[in-house]
Amino acid sequence: MNSDTPVADQTDHPGEPIAVVAAGAIPWRIVNGHLEVLLIHRPRYDDFSWPKGKLDAGETVPECAVREVREEIGLQAGLGIPLPPIHYHVNAGLKVVHYWAVKVNGAPLRPDGKEVDSVMWCTPDRAAKYLSNPSDIEPLEYLEKAYVRGELDTWPLVLIRHAKAKPRSSWTKAEGDRPLAATGQRQAAAVRRLLEAWWPQRVVTSPWLRCVATIAPYAKASGAKVKLSEALTEHHHQRSPKKTAAAVEALFDKQVPIAVCTHRPALPTALKQLGRHMLPELRALLPTSDPFLSPGEVIVCQVARGAERKIVSVEQIRPFDD
């Protein structure tokens, strides 16, 4: 997935252009050992659905999902596992809505009153009966199956390739001091906005300037704890890929939302290490050819909570490119 508007849907409506792109989430919680999901009621349509809305100019699909959840029900929460998108026709043409699961940890919900006048927690079975759009049942069923498998309660691990740096050919000083280009500085601002969809509490980065400058806007805005790791630099990776792999493996230790920023030459090692924690069908989604990720692009892995260090979803997302 990236920030570009999809050109056509190749699933239920093969070849038909997508006219409207929207995003949202299914909020969920566990009460007395039972799964509950949150339905919203929209007075304008007198219907029950999930929090969602159309993309604003200059934002990615994940950013849209987080914003819509915040605006419609007053919940500021990071995205969990991606859910199947739905497709249906509106006056403008074919509409696609991308969904994520969002865990609600007792935070108060404040419906905005205009778009949403009430909310209702209920079991998935009851929610399916209330939903006004039958298409909304598919992501609900996926969420419930993930819960049964123990793959709904997750934390995000985000792999970032640093933003575009000044060319090596025009830089005569130490390689670790090579800064971001002007384009890279704009990408770093876009990375900040994108990372706010998952709110990693910790950031581990190569200490080289172009990596630090890539995550600096997010770290400053979020207050995330930043750790510098020499094992993530190009030079250390060239000398000892095993230490780079060990640094990636250590990201699993605390089981908290975390982001890691490194260089293109280190990406194959990082991706291979992450792949060790995935089933083959997920591993097949990882990029396999150089350059693996574009400058500023991210891989988002959702890791199931528990001792197994099991990655249960993979997304590849490019920040909005102006």
Side-chain angles (χ1 to χ4, degrees):
M1 177 185 301
N2 59 41
S3 60
D4 299 329
T5 300
V7 176
D9 169 42
Q10 300 297 325
T11 53
D12 299 332
H13 308 271
E16 184 175 351
I18 291 176
V20 180
V21 179
I26 301 183
W28 66 274
R29 69 182 184 183
I30 304 298
V31 176
N32 297 324
H34 298 286
L35 174 65
E36 293 185 346
V37 294
L38 185 82
L39 285 173
I40 64 169
H41 180 262
R42 301 185 299 173
R44 179 181 176 185
Y45 304 101
D46 189 23
D47 69 354
F48 285 97
S49 65
W50 312 119
K52 66 178 182 297
K54 292 186 290 187
L55 261 68
D56 281 349
E59 72 178 354
T60 61
V61 177
E63 291 169 57
C64 173
V66 170
R67 175 182 56 76
E68 288 291 339
V69 170
R70 182 180 66 248
E71 291 179 355
E72 293 195 341
I73 61 174
L75 175 65
Q76 179 72 50
L79 300 178
I81 60 170
L83 304 172
I86 66 171
H87 305 83
Y88 56 95
H89 287 95
V90 295
N91 290 337
L94 185 63
K95 179 176 181 177
V96 58
V97 185
H98 299 274
Y99 282 114
W100 283 263
V102 168
K103 185 178 183 180
V104 179
N105 290 314
L109 304 179
R110 299 182 178 88
D112 70 351
K114 182 179 179 182
E115 295 284 340
V116 178
D117 61 357
S118 64
V119 300
M120 178 173 67
W121 285 105
C122 56
T123 64
D125 286 348
R126 189 180 182 200
K129 296 176 182 177
Y130 271 92
L131 284 167
S132 302
N133 185 345
S135 299
D136 277 332
I137 295 177
E138 183 180 359
L140 171 63
E141 291 177 341
Y142 187 95
L143 182 148
E144 187 175 18
K145 290 176 182 176
Y147 171 68
V148 171
R149 296 193 304 267
E151 296 179 359
L152 179 58
D153 192 4
T154 62
W155 55 272
L157 190 164
V158 185
L159 173 65
I160 310 163
R161 178 184 171 185
H162 68 72
K164 185 175 178 59
K166 288 189 175 182
R168 296 178 193 266
S169 58
S170 63
W171 186 253
T172 58
K173 300 178 183 178
E175 182 64 16
D177 294 334
R178 184 155 59 93
L180 295 181
T183 299
Q185 293 172 13
R186 294 194 296 271
Q187 288 172 342
V191 167
R192 173 189 66 78
R193 296 190 298 269
L194 182 60
L195 288 180
E196 288 175 358
W198 296 277
W199 284 108
Q201 302 163 21
R202 300 173 66 236
V203 176
V204 179
T205 179
S206 158
W208 286 10
L209 179 58
R210 51 192 181 272
C211 281
V212 173
T214 297
I215 56 89
Y218 173 76
K220 182 177 181 181
S222 66
K225 182 180 179 181
V226 178
K227 177 183 177 181
L228 304 181
S229 173
E230 290 286 346
L232 296 173
T233 65
E234 287 187 26
H235 287 173
H236 275 72
H237 175 261
Q238 188 176 23
R239 289 199 295 266
S240 180
K242 288 184 178 179
K243 289 186 177 179
T244 304
V248 173
E249 185 64 25
L251 302 173
F252 290 87
D253 289 348
K254 296 185 182 298
Q255 294 195 35
V256 297
I258 191 167
V260 56
C261 186
T262 189
H263 308 262
R264 180 189 56 77
L267 288 176
T269 297
L271 291 168
K272 182 178 180 180
Q273 190 63 30
L274 293 176
R276 296 179 185 275
H277 298 276
M278 303 174 191
L279 293 175
E281 55 265 33
L282 276 186
R283 198 177 304 126
L285 299 178
L286 295 175
T288 56
S289 59
D290 195 24
F292 304 98
L293 295 174
S294 301
E297 194 170 17
V298 308
I299 294 281
V300 181
C301 300
Q302 292 288 343
V303 187
R305 294 198 177 277
E308 294 183 6
R309 301 188 173 199
K310 182 181 180 182
I311 293 174
V312 298
S313 72
V314 171
E315 302 169 86
Q316 184 172 341
I317 304 167
R318 192 165 58 241
F320 183 82
D321 189 355
D322 59 357

